Amino acid sequence: MNGWRRRSRRRRNRTPGKLPPLAIVGICLGAAVLIALVIGNLLHFWLDDETMQRLTDGTTAPEEPLPVPEREVPLVKAYPFVLGDSTGSLSSGEDGVPPAALSVSLNTPTGELLYTSEVSEHFGIPGDADVALTESMTELREVVPYLCGVFYPQAFSQEDGSLFYPSAAEEAALLREFARAGGSEVLLIGLSFDSGHLMDTLTYLGLIKEALGSTMLAVAVPLSVAGAAQGWELLPILREHADLLALDLQGEDAAAVESLLLDANYYLVQHQMRLLLSSDQEAFISIAEATLSDVQIVTAPPGTATGDPGEGDGTDTAEPPDTGAVG
């Protein structure tokens, strides 16, 4: 009798057996349904109707331009000036008031420096011996508060590729000196944007940006490059490496001035670009001055002819959307 009781207690204390397979399947299905309901409710709470429809229908979002960082460079109307010229000419207009901003030429498109300085002499870079950078900038700052140095990079023109980085370092030192002398901004014109040189261009921009410190860096982008098939990808990439992009219309045909400015308006608005013109483009300048609050005019290189069509870059261009009047 006692043996039977001990066997009964042992049976009651045994661990229950495993659940049947059908019970396990039922529990898993119930948990999956519960999770789906919770996630669905959260998605409806977090997402707008359009996004929710794209997710549930399996459709993808329409292609949109990449986001552009907020611009910190001020809106200016910058007029051409060459170091060494008399500052008295800046107050010779109808109202006798000098402009608030200037485009100060630092070198020519072929690389001739338009001044001399401690850095240029250190590197043995020839320049205009009659124009001293520090003295000229000090005099200019007393008349005009915002000075944008216009510079044509030469590091990319080195026949020996191993000289690219030393040349870029020299140019970075020159531009750093300009910034310390009172420069507010540096505009680079003539960079290469084709796929074979893009990485070198971005490296160059990083080097110059680091040398300038808090001084603003702007990059000129021809209209043909901005309107190329891959322009919508290139412009945001360049913008990540510079404080401002300037839409370069130098050399564009004056006979198409109105249509070109209307086309340019898309890029000026969408990418917060500044319009860049040459001092010999009178037809463009007259319209831009009256309609835009952000335009820069640089000294026309010697030997250029007004209204000559731009050379372009050989890439296909995409028609920008019609955005209405220039503004």
Side-chain angles (χ1 to χ4, degrees), residues 238-256:
L238 293 176
R239 182 62 179 79
E240 290 179 355
H241 292 76
D243 300 295
L244 174 71
L245 301 181
L247 188 65
D248 192 351
L249 263 61
Q250 295 183 84
E252 295 290 348
D253 188 0

Side-chain angles (χ1 to χ4, degrees), residues 64-68 264-273 321 323:
E64 298 177 355
L66 297 176
V68 179
N265 189 56
Y266 166 75
Y267 302 102
L268 301 181
V269 174
Q270 181 66 42
H271 296 278
Q272 305 175 29
M273 300 176 77
T323 56

Side-chain angles (χ1 to χ4, degrees), residues 22 32 61 131 155 216 231 249 308:
L22 290 178
V131 181
M216 298 296 179
L249 263 61
D308 288 344

Side-chain angles (χ1 to χ4, degrees), residues 17-18 196 297 323:
K18 295 183 180 179
I297 306 167
T323 56

